Amino acid sequence: TAFLHGDLKEEVYMKLPPGFESPDLSLVCRLRKSLYGLKQAPRCWYAKLSSALKRYGFLQAYSDYSLFTYTNGKTQINVLVYVDDML
């Protein structure tokens, strides 16, 4: 479900889903959010995740852009992102 929440920045259209009846066969759907299987989905999800982590005070490492670190006193949190998993 992670890939379903990314905001699309470009216009993406798809055919009407099965079960949706319309007399006009030329109608299509414009997507506002990414869908699983869409080639833009991983990029949209990562952009949303990284911006949220940065808003919470995490710093993105320059040596590995998938590593985010948060430090507050003696507390340190490291988040390593790989595709759609986090460690």
Side-chain angles (χ1 to χ4, degrees), residues 69-81:
T69 305
Y70 175 82
T71 306
N72 186 0
K74 292 184 177 182
T75 304
Q76 183 174 2
I77 302 172
N78 298 310
V79 176
L80 186 59
V81 182

Side-chain angles (χ1 to χ4, degrees), residues 4-77:
L4 300 178
H5 301 289
D7 298 315
L8 292 170
K9 293 185 178 166
E10 59 274 333
E11 290 187 14
V12 177
Y13 297 91
M14 64 175 265
K15 293 189 291 186
L16 295 177
F20 187 86
E21 303 288 329
S22 174
D24 186 359
L25 299 176
S26 66
L27 290 179
V28 294
C29 294
R30 178 174 181 218
L31 301 177
R32 304 249 183 229
K33 300 277 186 179
S34 63
L35 293 175
Y36 188 83
L38 193 65
K39 66 180 179 178
Q40 294 93 335
R43 185 171 17 100
C44 293
W45 177 81
Y46 182 79
K48 191 162 202 150
L49 175 68
S50 63
S51 66
L53 288 172
K54 289 176 184 177
R55 276 195 313 273
Y56 285 113
F58 282 81
L59 298 176
Q60 191 171 17
Y62 291 111
S63 58
D64 184 352
Y65 285 109
S66 62
L67 176 62
F68 295 86
T69 305
Y70 175 82
T71 306
N72 186 0
K74 292 184 177 182
T75 304
Q76 183 174 2
I77 302 172

